Amino acid sequence: MEYNFREIEANWREFWAKNKTFAAKDHSDLPKYYVLDMFPYPSGAGLHVGHPLGYIASDIFSRYKRAQGYNVLHPMGYDSFGLPAEQYAIQTGQHPRITTKTNIEGGVDNQGNKIAGYRNQLDIMGFSFDWDREVRTSSPEYYKWTQWIFKQLFNSYYDETQDKAVAVSDLIAEFEANGNANVKATTDYEGSFSASEWKAYSEKEKEACLQEYRLAFLADSWVNWCPALGTVLANDEIVNGKSERGNHPVEQKLMRQWSMRIKAYAERLLTGLETLDWTDSIKDIQRNWIGKSIGASVQFAVDDSDKKIEVFTTRPDTIYGVSFMVLAPEHPYVDEITTSEFKSEVENYKATASLKSERDRQADVKNISGQFTGAYAIHPFSGEKVQIWIGDYVLASYGTGAVMAVPCGDQRDWDFAKHFEIEIINIFEGVDISEGAHTEKEGTIANSDFLSGLKVKKAMKLAIYEIETRGFGKGKTNYRLRDAVFSRQRYWGEPFPVYYKNDIPYLVDDANLPVTLPDVDKYLPTEEGEPPLARATQEAWGDDFAGDRMDFNTMPGWAGSSWYFLRYMDPHNENEFVSKEKVEYWKNVDLYIGGAEHATGHLLYSRFWTKFLHDLGHLPFDEPFQKMINQGMILGRSSFVYKKTLSIKTSDKNTKNRKAITLKDSPLILPKDTNTFYSFNKIPSKEALIEEIEKLNPGHISGSFNDYIDEICLTPFRVAIKYIENDVLDIEAASSDPIFDFLQGAEFIFEDDGTYICGHEVEKMSKSKYNVQTPDELVEKFGADTLRMYEMFLGPLEQSKPWDTQGINGVHNFLRKAWRLVHNRDGDFIVTEGEPTKEALKTLHKTIKKVGDDLDRFSFNTGVSNFMICVNELTEQKCTNKAIIEQFVVLLSSYAPHMCEELWVILGNEAGTVGTQPFPTFNPDHLIEANHKYPVSFNGKMRFMLELPRTLSKEEIEKEVLAHEIAQKWLDGKAPKKVIVVPGRIVNVVI
RNA sequence: GCCCGGGUGGCGGAAUUGGUAGACGCGCUGGAUUCAAAAUCCAGUGUCUUCGGACGUGCGGGUUCGAUUCCCGCCCCGGGUACCA
């Protein structure tokens, strides 16, 4: 029988599905192991070969863990709320629910495109997912519990005394008993009230106060508003001042929004990182994002005013270096403190600053701007008057939105002072600050009263002490992490379990969850600018409707993904989000595989929610993902054909049109555009092209032409990679595709062998670049086992690498060779019983050791190499021994499960059991040899190999080596200075 | 600018604790088989070479008997972040 992968793979997939071979048991005496993949958003474009990379690795690892005797939880689901389905709905009117279902289950979209379906695409890869546990974040059964968790957050506040989340009902009880005097909570509330005052508050006032404590709260906050998307965005959804999705501009807007008080967890999110087995790079990204800085908050009184400006500084030791203050233009005090003399200038500056987009401000780092307000602050220690300025280098959203400027110790303050000719006080002993600030946190403080003569570190401590004892402020830790905006003005997301009565938000009762997403007539904002859900009629909300109105927002994408790993443990539980018993058994994720791009979004929010649910006693752990591996991106390899229509880039920025290029006032004459395509190795050189142009422009082109013209080349056109094999273009097939009909009737300059060779470039895989490779095509051509092994063979999992199918034959051949190990030329099955040879045992055990070690360190690519070496050796040995082959099949089964199941049955074993066989045990005895081949080096350079018995002593080895004729030659009669002998390894002779 | 990764043949990559640099695969070259092609098999394949050997892991130094691996300085590429007070 030939290796008929199509038939074999189809049969086994059916077998696994029918027998639920990979179902995880919730009750087991076996130790548990939880392997999780980041679940995908099911887009209409389907999977390309980059997506399954991580899934293949996690699948291999799951199978390995099962072989090691673990009860493995390895689920898959869909992060199925999201923008693309909604955009599609806006364009086509099709309900996102339907689009989403089609994208998952396959079918035809309403434009007639065939959709393969994520599930089908995943299935053909032979993954050992426990599909009975599938979750979809957009299903009401799932988001019921997302809403429930939101309610817990709403009903909790962060108690800083206990350092955990506590029920708001406890807080209310405390307010009723003692007011807020003894409450130490993470809050935006600044006032104080007594118990009787609290009791006198109206319901509305009470709720307004509580909102400032709740972990999920409504607040008017400056949000990132994206007009093009019609929604607010979280900080992590913005890249370079534009929306991550669609690259639209984002502006600051004050809006009433749901937020999450993630700041309360800043310190725990930071320290928790130390317990995690994640890459340093991801941990660093999170550390930077949290952005802890230690210093002091100091109050500066404003002269002739009762206002006090609070600043945060990390350098309280430099307080005597303060020569001015700067407020953010948006700072609330600006209008009040500005003197009449400077009113109009300040107004102008504020207007200019507000017009500048976030992006402009970033681009404008070099441009120093600011405006004096006319007001002065009183230095708390020296009592001197310092000018108060506003400047857009101070951000309203960080710290207190105001800084004490110390130009001698901060470069930005220094630049500002220089620019506006403000005094620069030097408070560093023996440091020259004429050319720039002294920003290092070292040196001795001078010219600073009680701080003079102290080293920076000591001065900092003393300064904070004095600031506190004299009542100017206190030591403080500041975090860059902002509270996370949790509302989105979109349709396709979780509705909030919230209704309003007299503008007071109330939660929907647990018994009435989920609040299901109502149908609407259009997926667009209302004419009044309300979110799409405002379109839903009371009937559309059905029984969910309560109060005056429902909340019109939906939750952001990260709501559902923050806890999905918990739901897999207990996906059908109707009474709890996960049962205590099950979460107690499965605990947190042991291995999480996914992209590094979620470092500041999903990975931070999941940690936040996990810690929160832990605080409430629902989870026995407070970190969701113990170990994480970030797979690299698979890049596309785009192919190009080259048409002889010259592309010219000039250093002259004004010349956009190549035909407008002029030389010595007369237009540059270019060779006529042709319809001729040059094969890659036949492309005329730049010199040849210039020569051609010279002929057309006699006397105009000189040596300076090369300086003037940056680049001159044929015009490249992309061609879909499906028409290309080993860079050879199938002209006939490509030109019959309407997208590439420009090839029809074109002339071609071929290679000498008559083929047309394409050029290529490595870039991101995308539809528009015609370089997308789907797994489906490759599975059809080579089989899933080949694709699985090839994706692993490509290189280390964590590294980005270009996709190139050229090597896939090599892996396919390996599997055929493995198949032939037990089949003769006629395809008949052949194995021999009896004792294996010593050689075969050595090969097998060497492979067991290496493959096992490779799996333990997630080195899947070297694992594939080791299988290849094993098969090469066994083939050479003509080994057909059953015992050896069986062990080999078990070893290989995690990588190539279909073929191994088949071979396992052919070998006479029970169907479907290869995956539960114990991982073969390594026996080092089989590797021990009587002799060792010593590499013998002279001065560190290997000269010859010498096989010697392992029993020899150092002295005997040295004697044998020196007596060897090649050694004699290298010694050339001289005595060696030294001989290093590492028994069982190497010999190095120093001469 | 700062913080993380990374730089090894024509290509993807290997070398796990400082011990034979280039495993394995692709590609390429030659040969066998074939009417021919595909497939398969065999041999070769870092560079230079006076065929003795010399050089060789981004560059320059250092430690060591021995460095892709450790240390110092620099260059380049990828990712993150950026008036963060």
Side-chain angles (χ1 to χ4, degrees):
Chain A
M1 193 169 52
E2 253 300 292
Y3 170 43
N4 184 347
F5 58 85
R6 282 192 194 94
E7 198 175 304
I8 292 170
E9 292 185 356
N11 287 344
W12 284 105
R13 281 199 292 272
E14 200 190 319
F15 181 95
W16 293 330
K18 207 184 334 180
N19 294 282
K20 298 194 186 298
T21 309
F22 304 111
K25 293 177 271 312
D26 286 327
H27 304 280
S28 172
D29 294 332
L30 297 175
K32 69 97 190 187
Y33 200 90
Y34 189 174
V35 182
L36 184 65
D37 295 289
M38 286 186 186
F39 62 166
Y41 172 80
S43 78
L47 293 170
H48 64 63
V49 289
H51 294 111
L53 184 72
Y55 305 157
I56 295 168
S58 67
D59 191 63
I60 291 170
F61 202 76
S62 302
R63 290 172 184 268
Y64 172 56
K65 281 288 159 188
R66 284 191 199 102
Q68 285 189 322
Y70 287 88
N71 180 28
V72 172
L73 178 57
H74 183 40
M76 181 49 83
Y78 307 97
D79 192 9
S80 47
F81 271 135
L83 272 180
E86 182 165 342
Q87 300 286 35
Y88 190 79
I90 292 169
Q91 284 161 28
T92 67
Q94 189 170 52
H95 197 291
R97 194 191 304 118
I98 298 167
T99 314
T100 303
K101 191 171 155 64
T102 311
N103 288 348
I104 293 173
E105 294 166 19
V108 180
D109 71 10
N110 70 353
Q111 300 188 326
N113 300 309
K114 213 177 153 226
I115 305 284
Y118 268 54
R119 176 61 194 273
N120 299 320
Q121 286 190 296
L122 290 169
D123 274 348
I124 58 166
M125 304 280 298
F127 293 132
S128 62
F129 294 127
D130 181 351
W131 279 111
D132 289 346
R133 294 171 183 268
E134 180 199 291
V135 299
R136 300 182 189 183
T137 54
S138 61
S139 81
E141 297 77 46
Y142 182 88
Y143 68 68
K144 168 181 176 178
W145 297 106
T146 310
Q147 291 173 344
W148 180 83
I149 293 170
F150 171 83
K151 287 186 61 181
Q152 311 310 305
L153 285 153
F154 180 93
N155 282 328
S156 303
Y157 78 104
Y158 201 86
D159 183 330
E160 292 183 348
T161 316
Q162 298 180 61
D163 201 17
K164 65 180 229 181
V166 176
V168 166
S169 53
D170 290 8
L171 184 69
I172 295 172
E174 171 65 18
F175 285 169
E176 281 170 355
N178 304 306
N180 73 346
N182 304 324
V183 173
K184 264 196 81 190
T186 308
T187 177
D188 294 323
Y189 194 82
E190 276 164 1
S192 64
F193 51 82
S194 66
S196 53
E197 282 171 317
W198 169 260
K199 285 177 193 155
Y201 284 168
S202 70
E203 186 172 2
K204 198 162 192 169
E205 285 168 325
K206 279 183 182 166
E207 184 52 39
C209 170
L210 290 173
Q211 285 290 338
E212 311 228 23
Y213 287 88
R214 298 184 189 280
L215 289 177
F217 62 101
L218 269 179
D220 290 318
S221 48
W222 287 98
V223 294
N224 308 298
W225 173 254
C226 179
L229 294 175
T231 188
V232 305
L233 298 171
N235 285 346
D236 63 275
E237 291 167 322
I238 296 163
V239 179
N240 292 331
K242 300 231 174 174
S243 67
E244 186 187 25
R245 214 175 254 284
N247 203 33
H248 303 296
V250 172
E251 56 194 45
Q252 298 299 303
K253 195 172 169 182
L254 198 65
M255 281 177 78
R256 193 155 186 82
Q257 296 287 301
W258 287 106
S259 284
M260 290 282 166
R261 213 175 294 282
I262 188 172
K263 261 168 131 173
Y265 285 85
E267 187 62 31
R268 283 165 68 188
L269 289 169
L270 194 64
T271 52
L273 288 171
E274 282 156 36
T275 65
L276 299 177
D277 190 2
W278 293 10
T279 61
D280 286 339
S281 126
I282 295 270
K283 287 192 194 182
D284 277 335
I285 292 170
Q286 291 212 346
R287 278 190 199 109
N288 292 338
W289 191 260
I290 295 166
K292 180 179 184 175
S293 43
I294 301 166
S297 82
V298 188
Q299 295 193 344
F300 283 67
V302 180
D303 197 22
D304 287 331
S305 160
D306 58 350
K307 292 271 177 250
K308 282 191 169 173
I309 296 171
E310 190 183 344
V311 299
F312 173 73
T313 175
T314 56
R315 295 296 303 274
D317 55 311
T318 64
I319 193 154
Y320 278 92
V322 174
S323 57
F324 60 103
M325 298 190 75
V326 187
L327 309 187
E330 301 89 349
H331 195 283
Y333 291 178
V334 172
D335 291 338
E336 295 173 57
I337 63 168
T338 301
T339 59
S340 51
E341 193 186 343
F342 288 93
K343 268 276 179 310
S344 63
E345 281 95 335
V346 165
E347 280 309 315
N348 284 342
Y349 186 78
K350 278 174 68 180
T352 330
S354 70
L355 284 178
K356 275 195 207 171
S357 71
E358 195 94 338
R359 209 192 177 110
D360 292 339
R361 276 203 191 183
Q362 275 176 27
D364 235 12
V365 178
K366 294 268 148 15
N367 228 336
I368 298 158
S369 74
Q371 174 59 48
F372 181 45
T373 60
Y376 289 85
I378 308 293
H379 190 287
F381 286 102
S382 71
E384 279 177 32
K385 283 183 9 174
V386 295
Q387 301 176 346
I388 303 174
W389 288 65
I390 59 172
D392 67 6
Y393 82 94
V394 177
L395 304 176
S397 59
Y398 183 77
T400 60
V403 300
M404 57 175 226
V406 183
C408 66
D410 183 290
Q411 193 57 47
R412 288 155 304 158
D413 296 346
W414 192 91
D415 293 338
F416 196 87
K418 275 273 174 223
H419 188 262
F420 292 108
E421 293 173 349
I422 305 170
E423 184 191 6
I424 298 178
I425 308 166
N426 190 355
I427 48 121
F428 295 109
E429 197 174 290
V431 174
D432 175 31
I433 52 152
S434 59
E435 293 301 316
H438 173 73
T439 53
E440 292 78 23
K441 285 190 179 177
E442 55 197 37
T444 306
I445 305 292
N447 201 10
S448 294
D449 192 21
F450 63 94
L451 296 173
S452 295
L454 293 177
K455 293 276 179 212
V456 163
K457 257 192 172 164
K458 274 197 163 168
M460 256 194 241
K461 278 191 186 150
L462 183 61
I464 292 174
Y465 175 80
E466 287 294 328
I467 287 166
E468 287 183 353
T469 50
R470 299 195 202 181
F472 303 148
K474 54 179 192 265
K476 194 183 171 186
T477 301
N478 206 40
Y479 298 92
R480 197 185 83 113
L481 183 72
R482 322 298 321 148
D483 283 338
V485 181
F486 197 68
S487 302
R488 295 294 180 273
Q489 290 69 44
R490 307 296 310 197
Y491 176 72
W492 192 229
E494 299 87 347
F496 282 85
V498 172
Y499 62 89
Y500 295 85
K501 221 154 95 184
N502 300 323
D503 274 339
I504 303 173
Y506 293 94
L507 295 179
V508 171
D509 276 349
D510 282 358
N512 294 330
L513 295 185
V515 173
T516 41
L517 190 61
D519 284 336
V520 290
D521 58 342
K522 267 194 232 165
Y523 305 98
L524 290 169
T526 63
E527 278 70 46
E528 293 78 41
E530 297 266 34
L533 282 194
R535 292 176 173 275
T537 58
Q538 190 169 334
E539 293 75 57
W541 286 102
D543 295 342
D544 296 329
F545 192 91
D548 304 328
R549 69 168 179 96
M550 301 299 287
D551 197 295
F552 297 147
N553 297 294
T554 52
M555 299 186 196
W558 54 270
S561 61
S562 289
W563 72 282
Y564 76 113
F565 71 101
L566 296 167
R567 190 64 181 172
Y568 284 135
M569 298 172 189
D570 198 4
H572 308 296
N573 192 332
E574 290 177 13
N575 304 312
E576 290 165 288
F577 72 110
V578 60
S579 81
K580 269 234 154 74
E581 180 202 0
K582 285 177 184 171
V583 77
E584 190 62 50
Y585 174 70
W586 288 114
K587 300 228 168 58
N588 56 356
V589 174
D590 295 283
L591 175 66
Y592 196 29
I593 295 185
E597 67 273 18
H598 299 105
T600 50
H602 162 61
L603 290 170
L604 200 60
Y605 297 128
S606 295
R607 294 184 59 221
F608 162 41
W609 279 30
T610 302
K611 286 181 191 299
F612 167 71
L613 291 168
H614 169 81
D615 285 354
L616 294 199
H618 295 300
L619 308 178
F621 49 84
D622 79 339
E623 284 290 349
F625 315 118
Q626 199 53 48
K627 179 177 176 62
M628 184 167 55
I629 295 178
N630 306 109
Q631 90 265 22
M633 218 188 336
I634 290 199
L635 300 164
R637 189 175 186 275
S638 311
S639 287
F640 296 89
V641 293
Y642 302 91
K643 186 176 177 180
K644 198 177 167 203
T645 293
L646 296 191
S647 271
I648 295 183
K649 277 188 199 150
T650 77
S651 45
D652 184 352
K653 297 266 174 348
N654 299 321
T655 311
K656 280 189 185 136
N657 185 338
R658 65 196 175 89
K659 288 189 175 142
I661 297 172
T662 56
L663 289 172
K664 293 185 186 166
D665 297 329
S666 61
L668 176 69
I669 302 164
L670 288 171
K672 253 195 171 159
D673 289 352
T674 68
N675 198 19
T676 306
F677 290 85
Y678 283 72
S679 184
F680 189 68
N681 298 306
K682 293 292 175 181
I683 294 171
S685 66
K686 188 180 171 184
E687 290 69 32
L689 293 173
I690 290 175
E691 202 175 307
E692 204 173 324
I693 296 170
E694 275 178 332
K695 274 186 196 155
L696 293 166
N697 300 272
H700 283 278
I701 308 223
S702 64
S704 65
F705 185 73
N706 273 310
D707 303 332
Y708 183 66
I709 301 291
D710 284 346
E711 202 185 321
I712 176 163
C713 57
L714 305 194
T715 309
F717 290 87
R718 291 170 199 279
V719 179
I721 53 166
K722 65 180 165 189
Y723 301 122
I724 290 146
E725 198 165 336
N726 287 357
D727 288 335
V728 177
L729 175 67
D730 183 341
I731 293 171
E732 204 177 316
S735 54
S736 61
D737 183 329
I739 302 171
F740 309 110
D741 58 4
F742 59 81
L743 293 171
Q744 273 178 26
E747 256 186 83
F748 293 92
I749 307 295
F750 294 106
E751 299 293 321
D752 295 339
D753 63 359
T755 58
Y756 187 94
I757 303 284
C758 296
H760 63 86
E761 233 171 83
V762 170
E763 47 191 4
K764 228 175 150 173
M765 210 176 263
S766 89
K767 233 176 165 177
S768 63
K769 296 188 170 80
Y770 308 116
N771 62 0
V772 173
Q773 178 84 61
T774 69
D776 316 48
E777 296 161 356
L778 292 166
V779 168
E780 172 58 25
K781 205 163 167 190
F782 297 101
D785 286 340
T786 297
L787 181 59
R788 288 167 64 105
M789 292 198 85
Y790 183 58
E791 289 218 14
M792 292 298 99
F793 189 56
L794 235 36
L797 186 59
E798 298 92 327
Q799 248 169 54
S800 292
K801 53 226 150 194
W803 177 259
D804 188 346
T805 40
Q806 291 205 12
I808 199 167
N809 276 307
V811 173
H812 190 62
N813 284 343
F814 153 75
L815 285 174
R816 293 167 24 131
K817 211 169 164 182
W819 183 263
R820 279 205 307 273
L821 218 45
V822 291
H823 294 87
N824 66 15
R825 269 181 186 281
D826 302 324
D828 298 327
F829 178 69
I830 35 141
V831 282
T832 45
E833 306 278 341
E835 281 298 305
T837 62
K838 240 184 119 181
E839 264 186 312
L841 279 170
K842 189 181 167 187
T843 295
L844 176 70
H845 282 268
K846 190 175 73 184
T847 307
I848 293 171
K849 171 86 175 118
K850 291 205 163 186
V851 168
D853 287 354
D854 286 344
L855 283 165
D856 286 333
R857 62 194 178 100
F858 308 97
S859 178
F860 300 97
N861 55 327
T862 52
V864 178
S865 296
N866 285 316
F867 285 122
M868 289 173 168
I869 293 167
C870 180
V871 167
N872 288 347
E873 287 184 11
L874 292 179
T875 304
E876 189 147 327
Q877 293 160 18
K878 299 196 166 43
C879 171
T880 53
N881 181 276
K882 189 178 172 191
I884 298 283
I885 303 289
E886 268 191 348
Q887 295 276 284
F888 171 75
V889 166
V890 172
L891 265 187
L892 182 63
S893 65
S894 59
Y895 281 77
H898 309 85
M899 185 176 95
C900 290
E901 289 272 25
E902 186 75 14
L903 289 175
W904 187 245
V905 172
I906 298 176
L907 284 160
N909 299 290
E910 194 193 329
T913 59
V914 71
T916 49
Q917 295 307 304
F919 195 79
T921 318
F922 169 61
N923 181 352
D925 295 348
H926 296 303
L927 301 193
I928 292 172
E929 299 242 359
N931 295 336
H932 177 71
K933 276 190 185 134
Y934 281 91
V936 181
S937 301
F938 287 79
N939 290 339
K941 295 215 185 308
M942 212 280 286
R943 297 303 179 185
F944 66 96
M945 302 293 290
L946 180 59
E947 188 168 333
L948 294 171
R950 283 181 174 271
T951 50
L952 292 193
S953 69
K954 272 191 179 186
E955 291 71 25
E956 288 167 322
I957 293 169
E958 180 175 338
K959 215 176 116 196
E960 288 284 341
V961 164
L962 294 180
H964 195 273
E965 58 172 319
I966 303 176
Q968 287 298 318
K969 191 192 93 181
W970 282 98
L971 282 169
D972 194 22
K974 283 169 275 184
K977 277 195 196 136
K978 200 171 169 187
V979 180
I980 288 109
V981 178
V982 185
R985 303 211 77 151
I986 56 104
V987 177
N988 189 17
V989 183
V990 187
I991 37 177

